[in-house]
């Protein structure tokens, strides 16, 4: 079957599904949410059993096998320019892979974030293995808050295969694009996974924050002077340092350094109640691609600086190579 026949066949299937979807939507609006069919209940049961056994359901394995053999169109998160550059480097996209994990927080927000993200990544890796991939690139991570203490961790990436390489037993995972992935490999830098560091803590200023203490002692100064709230700054800095330490430890477990590209902090003021005084909750999370390389090996690619904020002239490089990564 040619590619055009496959596209035509896919369009015909979509055209057949649209009337059925519209009919189901009308029935749902008229009679409320419908009950699951026996087939849907069976699929849900297979999913639950597969997740407990850390594998993919049989019907997902079959779909991945078709995509691996080229019977289904592949999907990629790359744009057109990146796709052309990937092809020039022998990179073949196989398909888009995903993984998610709904997680309920109990005793530890810190451990919950770590477990939730890593569980989602490992489930995404299972799909890449089923596709016969060498790596997963351009991984995008998204979290969604549920009700109460529940959160949904979702990851999406593009499974790729390198020309003339057999499938990998453990595909590499990276948040960089496929082209950046290849350039790192050319320079002897191997992305080996995703590292995560998260930490949260409480702060209870029993005597009030620095500003509140100053307000009681010098009301005029507190109202009109600019001042740092040093206790909150120190509290936030300590939380951030602990999260970055956990990020380093996560990279150390993979014997790798970390390209920390995502990092954010949240601070919440929690009003007092009958059981606790006013308090502050701070949490910080950092996520990045863990990379391994030999520092003694010289880099193969030189970068030509275009804009620099250095306060001294830049020394010209000998035979600079203009690499646009």
């Amino acid at each position: 079957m040619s590619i055009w026949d496959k596209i035509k066949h896919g369009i015909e299937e979509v055209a057949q599904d649209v009337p059925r979807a519209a009919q189901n939507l009308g029935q749902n609006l008229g009679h409320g949410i419908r009950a699951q069919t026996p087939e849907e209940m069976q699929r849900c049961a297979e999913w639950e059993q597969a997740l407990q056994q850390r594998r993919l359901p049989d019907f997902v394995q079959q779909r991945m096998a078709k995509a691996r053999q080229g019977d289904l169109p592949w999907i990629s998160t790359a744009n057109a320019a990146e796709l052309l550059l990937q092809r020039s480097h022998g990179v073949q996209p196989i398909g888009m892979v995903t993984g998610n994990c709904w997680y309920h927080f109990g005793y530890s927000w810190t451990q919950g974030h770590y477990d939730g993200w890593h569980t989602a990544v490992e489930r995404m890796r299972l799909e890449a293995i089923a596709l016969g991939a060498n790596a997963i690139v351009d991984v995008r991570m998204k979290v969604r808050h549920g009700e109460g203490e529940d959160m949904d961790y979702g990851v999406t990436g593009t499974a790729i295969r390198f020309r003339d390489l057999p499938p990998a037993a453990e595909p590499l995972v990276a948040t960089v694009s496929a082209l950046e992935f290849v350039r790192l490999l050319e320079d002897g830098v191997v992305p080996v996974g995703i590292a995560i560091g998260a930490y949260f803590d409480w702060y209870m200023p029993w005597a009030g924050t620095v500003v509140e203490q100053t307000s009681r002692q010098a009301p005029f100064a507190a109202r009109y002077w600019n001042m740092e709230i040093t206790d909150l700054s120190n509290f936030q800095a300590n939380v951030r340092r602990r999260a970055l330490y956990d990020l380093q430890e996560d990279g150390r477990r993979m014997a790798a350094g970390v390209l920390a590209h995502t990092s954010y902090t949240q601070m919440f003021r929690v009003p007092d109640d009958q059981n606790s005084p006013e308090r502050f909750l701070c949490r910080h999370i950092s996520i990045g691609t863990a990379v391994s390389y030999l520092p003694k090996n010289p880099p193969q690619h030189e970068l030509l600086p275009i804009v620099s904020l250095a306060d001294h002239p830049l020394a010209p490089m000998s035979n600079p190579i203009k690499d646009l990564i």
Side-chain angles (χ1 to χ4, degrees), residues 69-103:
Q69 297 168 3
D71 295 335
L72 294 177
W74 52 263
I75 303 175
S76 173
T77 56
N79 58 39
E82 290 174 337
L83 177 61
L84 294 176
L85 289 172
Q86 291 169 18
R87 292 187 60 188
S88 68
H89 283 70
V91 176
Q92 174 190 354
I94 311 174
M96 190 168 66
V97 290
T98 62
N100 81 296
C101 174
W102 270 99
Y103 200 94

Side-chain angles (χ1 to χ4, degrees), residues 34-53:
R34 65 173 177 82
Q36 286 185 318
T37 64
E39 292 78 8
E40 292 171 338
M41 296 177 64
Q42 177 64 26
R43 288 169 68 94
C44 289
E46 291 181 19
W47 260 118
E48 291 183 8
Q49 183 179 11
L51 292 179
Q52 293 175 0
Q53 299 174 354

